[in-house]
Every structure is written in structure tokens, then in C-alpha cells.
Amino acid sequence: MIVLPKHIQELTPYKPGQSVAEIQQLYGIENVIKLASNENPLGSSPHAIAAINEWVENSYVYPDGGLALRMRLAEKFNRKIENIICHSGSDALIHLALRTFLDEGDELVSSHGTFIGFQVAAKLHGHPVTYVPQTDDYRFDIVALANAITPHTKILYLANVNNPTGTFFSAEEFVWLMERVPQNVLVIMDEAYSEYSRYMYPDFIDSLEYNYQNVLTLRTFSKVYGLAGVRVGYGVASEEIIAPMLRAKLPFDPNTLGQYAAIAALDDTDFIEKTVRLNAQGIELFTKEFRRIGLTSPISAGNFVMVDCGTPEKAQELYMGLLRRGFITRPLGGFSLPHCIRISTGTLEQNLGLVSAMEDAVGEIFKN
Ligand code: PLP
């Protein structure tokens, strides 16, 4: 028998949100809407689809490891190509950062209830993580994060916006924290939702404006650009961070179709504008209506809203109640928040349908 390392034995497989087909089959409901994975309800940029169709014929050729996209992003952010890395989603970049920088005895720090992808990657690498409790209003506790850093800390992971809470910290809080983080700690600033956030809050923090030498900023094409299926994300940082990551990266990722779809999507300002506008309306509607219904839910700067149901049992009941009404949402046990569920924004019609299903389900579950 092949003996597994202990930290691999303890891994549980990642459970993605349930698919529409799965729910249709399980419950015999025809009209099922998935608001579970923070995807773009408008689909993908048409420019990106055209690029995929154009490049599909080139599928027999190995990809260039993200070079064309790195060049384009360097131009966009006024950086050198040596400051940019591209990979198969920003999730892959989190894994790559951990693989590149963690050595024996190194530890990580983050917040309780942060992005599941980080929690999985940390477990996979088998290094101890200190998860600092969130504040009572579901935000990262910046002071506690600073205090949790020890001489063994190698990586501090910050998701801003945090998925699944939707909460965020300010530029002042970021600067305060960075003044207390030693230079030899890598800070991963995961900004997967930054385009949505900046539309809703024009002064939303952009970590790229600070040029900290120990910060790796991660972004993705899965959200506002609607390209989750072709798996492209990117990182921006000092050469000191990017060069070793490039050495440790699988040489060909990201794939060619994803890369050229991403390049085309970057310039599709029409699609981006439509997406962020629709999302802001969805967030406003959910925030207002969930409050009216009497739910506890933090203000979100992402494309999703979390609902605190009080107990894991109530969260499961609400998840099932919405499912029976044709809406797939995301239970958050895997994120260490089993008393909560997360709902992504959809089209206006889907959002209105969700609110009505929510009111119905809450009436059935919470009032009994
Ligand atoms: N980081 C955060 C905070 C996310 O919410 C997500 C996806 O949900 C990701 C990273 C991963 O995105 P990608 O599809 O680029 O791997």
C-alpha cells in the first residue's frame, strides 16, 4: 500500500456548488437558477467568445505560458512584464505562492471564514495556519491579524473583498496593517472582485497603487469578465516575488484559449460596464429586501451576499427551502461558516425571483 502523508490523508475533496442539471434531476424541477458560484449572469464577453473561436484551431500548439497576456497586463498596469504572472485561475496562483515560498517550519496567518480556496491550499501544503476570529460584523480583524504574526509567519492571506462574507477593509486599515507586517512576510492580497467593488465604492482600495515589495496582488478573469470556465488569473508583484513563482509554475499554464479570451475581454469595456452595473443593482436589491425580510446579512462589495441564519440547521433548511423553489445557493460549511449561506447576484429577473423565494422560504422556516 502507498502510504499517504498525514496532511493528505486529512484532505476532503473540494465540493463545488451544485449544478443546475444535478438539481433538475434530483428534485424534478425544470426551471432551476444557479446563484451559487459568483459567476457572471451575463455570460462571457462576446469579444472573448470570438477570440476562443479564432484560437481553437491553434489547439495543437503548446501555450506560451501566459506571455502574451503578461505583456498586455504589463501595459495596462504600467509595470514590467517581470512583475506579472498568469496561471489557470487565481486559485492556482494561491497554490503556486504557497508551493514557492513555504519552507519547513513556516506558518500562515489569515482570517476565520475566508475564501475556501486558500483554506484548501493551506491544508494541502500541511503548514499550520492561524485563523484569527472575524469581528462581530464579519470583517477581518486587522489588529488581531497584526498581532497573530510571529517569527514563524511566512504568508499572510487577505481577501479583499472576502468571499463569502462580502466584507472589506479600507485603505487606512491596509496601510496600518502593512506598517506592522515584517518585510519577510509575503502578503497575498486576493482582489478577485475588485472591478465590482470599485464600481460600488469609487475609493475602494487598490493594492497595486502602493508598490509594497512584499505584496502579491491576485486578480481573476472568472468574475467580471465571465471566463470562469477557461481558468485564467493573474498576479502582480515585485520581481523578487514573481521570479521564483515563474520558476515553480507549470510551464505551459494558462491554456491558449483562456489566455486569448482574457486579452479580448480586458478591452470589452461595454461588457464590463454592463456587468458591474447589473451587479450593483442586485446587491442593492438583496441588501434592501433581505433587511425587510428580517435577515442578518453584511453589506457586500462583491457579486454575492451572505445570509447568517443563526445555526447550521437553519442554514441547511434555508438552503433546502430555496432549492425546492428552484434556486441553488451556497451553504458555507466548507468555508467554516456552517450557519450561513451565500447568494450570488443574477439577472434582474433572477434576483427578483430569488427575493420572492427567500420571503416564502423564510416565512416557512423562521416563523415556525
Ligand atoms: N479568490 C477569491 C476570493 C474567490 O472568491 C475566488 C473564486 O470564487 C477565487 C480567488 C478563485 O478564482 P479563480 O476562478 O480565478 O480560480
Side-chain angles (χ1 to χ4, degrees), residues 121-353:
K123 253 195 209 149
L124 176 66
H125 289 81
H127 288 251
V129 189
T130 302
Y131 288 107
V132 169
Q134 291 178 350
T135 63
D136 289 343
D137 51 355
Y138 314 93
R139 301 175 76 240
F140 281 12
D141 187 332
I142 298 294
V143 175
L145 283 167
N147 289 338
I149 294 171
T150 73
H152 297 291
T153 307
K154 186 65 155 290
I155 294 181
L156 169 64
Y157 172 80
L158 305 171
N160 205 47
V161 168
N162 184 45
N163 170 15
T165 55
T167 51
F168 49 98
F169 47 84
S170 66
E172 290 72 32
E173 288 174 298
F174 179 58
V175 171
W176 185 92
L177 178 59
M178 287 305 297
E179 278 167 4
R180 284 153 185 85
V181 176
Q183 282 293 311
N184 60 357
V185 172
L186 171 71
V187 179
I188 301 180
M189 264 294 265
D190 187 338
E191 299 182 342
Y193 302 93
S194 62
E195 298 86 354
Y196 295 109
S197 317
R198 253 194 302 287
Y199 182 77
M200 291 187 276
Y201 300 94
D203 59 352
F204 196 86
I205 179 179
D206 174 354
S207 61
L208 293 181
E209 283 174 8
Y210 293 82
N211 268 320
Y212 288 117
Q213 290 301 294
N214 56 333
V215 172
L216 168 65
T217 300
L218 298 184
R219 305 257 173 95
T220 179
F221 285 91
S222 298
K223 308 295 172 185
V224 85
Y225 300 100
L227 293 171
V230 287
R231 314 299 306 125
V232 188
Y234 62 95
V236 184
S238 59
E239 265 185 80
E240 188 190 336
I241 293 172
I242 297 296
M245 287 179 72
L246 284 168
R247 288 201 297 275
K249 184 176 87 63
L250 289 172
F252 297 115
D253 294 27
N255 71 82
T256 304
L257 300 183
Q259 164 162 263
Y260 286 100
I263 291 173
L266 261 184
D267 292 327
D268 193 348
T269 45
D270 242 29
F271 182 79
I272 299 165
E273 175 71 24
K274 269 188 209 143
T275 298
V276 292
R277 203 177 326 121
L278 173 67
N279 178 62
Q281 287 162 358
I283 293 289
E284 202 185 324
L285 180 82
F286 283 175
T287 308
K288 187 175 97 211
E289 291 297 303
F290 290 176
R291 196 161 295 167
R292 179 182 63 76
I293 296 168
L295 295 166
T296 305
S297 173
I299 299 281
S300 171
N303 66 347
F304 53 87
V305 170
M306 185 178 86
V307 173
D308 184 341
C309 304
T311 65
E313 294 72 28
K314 287 285 178 210
Q316 182 61 19
E317 279 180 54
L318 184 57
Y319 167 71
M320 289 305 298
L322 292 170
L323 210 53
R324 281 195 301 273
R325 290 166 177 83
F327 287 91
I328 311 176
T329 60
R330 189 73 197 257
L332 297 177
F335 287 72
S336 323
L337 296 166
H339 54 297
C340 301
I341 66 168
R342 189 194 66 200
I343 301 137
S344 312
T345 59
T347 62
L348 179 59
E349 194 189 346
Q350 291 171 341
N351 294 340
L352 290 170

